[in-house]
Amino acid sequence: MRIGFIQTKPVFGHVEGNVERAVKMIHRCDADLIVLPELFNTGYLFTSREEVRELSETVPKGRTTEALREVAAERNVHIVAGLIERSRRKYYNAAVLVSPDGSVETYRKIHLFHEEKLWFDPGDRPFTVYDIGSCRVGIMICFDWFFPESMRILALKGADVVAHCANLVMPFCQDAMITRCLENRLYAVTANRVGSEKRGGKFCLYTGRSQITGPQANLLYRAGAGEEEIGTAAIDVAAVRDKRLNAHNVLLDDRRIEFYSDLTAPGAGAGDA
Ligand code: ACM
């Protein structure tokens, strides 16, 4: 199978134009699973919760999800894309997984970054893996990468590919994802945006360089830093399901979880060692 990304340059608040442009790019993307950036339809640099509310949509009935369902059915592809989900007066930085049969799953970003903590409600559901037939897909949104637990949990739940919707502003993630894929033996598609935003006295420059990362610490595709771009690569799902590293080591089985309880103990991180 082939996996791919659409690296876009959204205009803040121009949902119709942003979606229309992304749909055109989806039509040109030769992949079975296509990943779009975080908040691809709205832009990222919010200045109030009111703006977030105005640009939020319900799922699956909102106009962005409807447009994605239409193109997923037309092209017979699965799409993962970031948007603001409104649900019971809560606003989530979310990603939808849209299938060609019209079904929709939603992931709500668990690790909110910087001022996102002011605008969004934190994700309230566990990391989940979805079997789309050709592979099993886990979803992360941007800053989730900073917490290795995110991808480890997706690996433990059987993900072959991590669909990683991003609006990266720091330069570290792309290289870090090489290690994340190596240590979990899976593929990842990091779909980042390009361009910049200046609003309310604030400025964000997005780092582009969307990429498809392989399980052998290998880059299958890396986009440029400044332009819209489509990237795709062929993957071998059987290769990541076999977690044997050599004759004596099996990646996930060799974990020594009896020594890991500090990771989840109350007060972990307080530094009382
Ligand atoms: C980020 O989580 N958008 C940096």
Side-chain angles (χ1 to χ4, degrees), residues 38 44 109 113 116 142-143 167:
E38 177 183 17
Y44 179 80
K109 187 174 184 177
F113 178 71
E116 289 173 34
C142 209
F143 193 48
N167 273 190

Side-chain angles (χ1 to χ4, degrees), residues 240-258:
V240 290
R241 289 192 181 171
D242 181 355
K243 301 292 190 196
R244 282 173 302 181
L245 298 174
N246 55 50
H248 300 281
N249 294 109
V250 182
L251 179 61
L252 298 174
D253 298 350
D254 277 1
R255 291 172 309 122
R256 301 287 310 280
I257 58 173
E258 66 272 37

Side-chain angles (χ1 to χ4, degrees), residues 6-268:
I6 307 283
Q7 174 167 288
T8 61
K9 191 178 187 177
V11 179
F12 189 90
H14 290 222
V15 173
E16 200 173 321
N18 293 335
V19 172
E20 201 176 295
R21 185 147 182 78
V23 165
K24 278 191 184 141
M25 292 175 80
I26 290 169
H27 276 290
R28 291 195 283 120
C29 183
D30 178 23
D32 308 291
L33 170 67
I34 302 174
V35 186
L36 275 65
E38 177 183 17
L39 301 173
F40 87 97
N41 60 336
T42 59
Y44 179 80
L45 195 54
F46 292 92
T47 60
S48 69
R49 194 162 157 97
E50 182 56 23
E51 278 183 348
V52 168
R53 189 188 65 74
E54 277 169 17
L55 292 171
S56 66
E57 299 185 20
T58 56
V59 175
K61 292 285 174 216
R63 58 178 166 159
T64 299
T65 309
E66 287 288 9
L68 295 173
R69 287 169 89 187
E70 200 176 307
V71 65
E74 247 174 85
R75 290 278 338 275
N76 193 29
V77 292
H78 287 82
I79 299 169
V80 179
L83 47 72
I84 306 167
E85 183 202 6
R86 178 173 72 246
S87 175
R88 299 189 178 141
R89 296 205 191 157
K90 292 201 168 173
Y91 303 96
Y92 299 101
N93 181 340
V96 287
L97 164 61
V98 178
S99 300
D101 67 3
S103 61
V104 178
E105 304 285 354
T106 310
Y107 165 70
R108 297 168 171 169
K109 187 174 184 177
I110 287 178
H111 302 100
L112 295 176
F113 178 71
H114 200 255
E115 288 191 350
E116 289 173 34
K117 289 196 166 191
L118 306 178
W119 319 135
F120 295 103
D121 293 283
D124 55 354
R125 296 175 182 163
F127 287 105
T128 303
V129 171
Y130 304 96
D131 193 338
I132 64 167
S134 47
C135 72
R136 296 187 294 242
V137 183
I139 302 175
M140 303 197 311
I141 301 180
C142 209
F143 193 48
D144 284 332
W145 78 267
F146 214 95
F147 301 84
E149 294 87 348
S150 312
M151 203 138 148
R152 178 64 103 201
I153 288 169
L154 290 173
L156 287 168
K157 289 187 168 183
D160 305 309
V161 177
V162 170
H164 182 208
C165 307
N167 273 190
L168 295 161
V169 291
M170 297 188 290
F172 313 115
C173 172
Q174 289 87 342
D175 289 339
M177 287 301 283
I178 294 171
T179 304
R180 294 281 174 280
C181 286
L182 175 70
E183 69 199 4
N184 290 297
R185 187 167 285 203
L186 41 69
Y187 294 96
V189 184
T190 299
N192 193 15
R193 59 161 292 173
V194 291
S196 62
E197 289 176 316
K198 193 174 175 187
R199 308 189 69 248
K202 297 183 289 186
F203 179 75
C204 271
L205 175 66
Y206 303 97
T207 59
R209 296 164 74 231
S210 298
Q211 70 185 35
I212 302 173
T213 319
Q216 301 291 342
N218 51 331
L219 269 183
L220 302 177
Y221 193 108
R222 182 177 274 177
E227 303 297 330
E228 292 190 326
E229 190 167 335
I230 296 168
T232 67
I235 63 165
D236 179 359
V237 171
V240 290
R241 289 192 181 171
D242 181 355
K243 301 292 190 196
R244 282 173 302 181
L245 298 174
N246 55 50
H248 300 281
N249 294 109
V250 182
L251 179 61
L252 298 174
D253 298 350
D254 277 1
R255 291 172 309 122
R256 301 287 310 280
I257 58 173
E258 66 272 37
F259 294 110
Y260 301 165
S261 56
D262 285 340
L263 280 174
T264 53

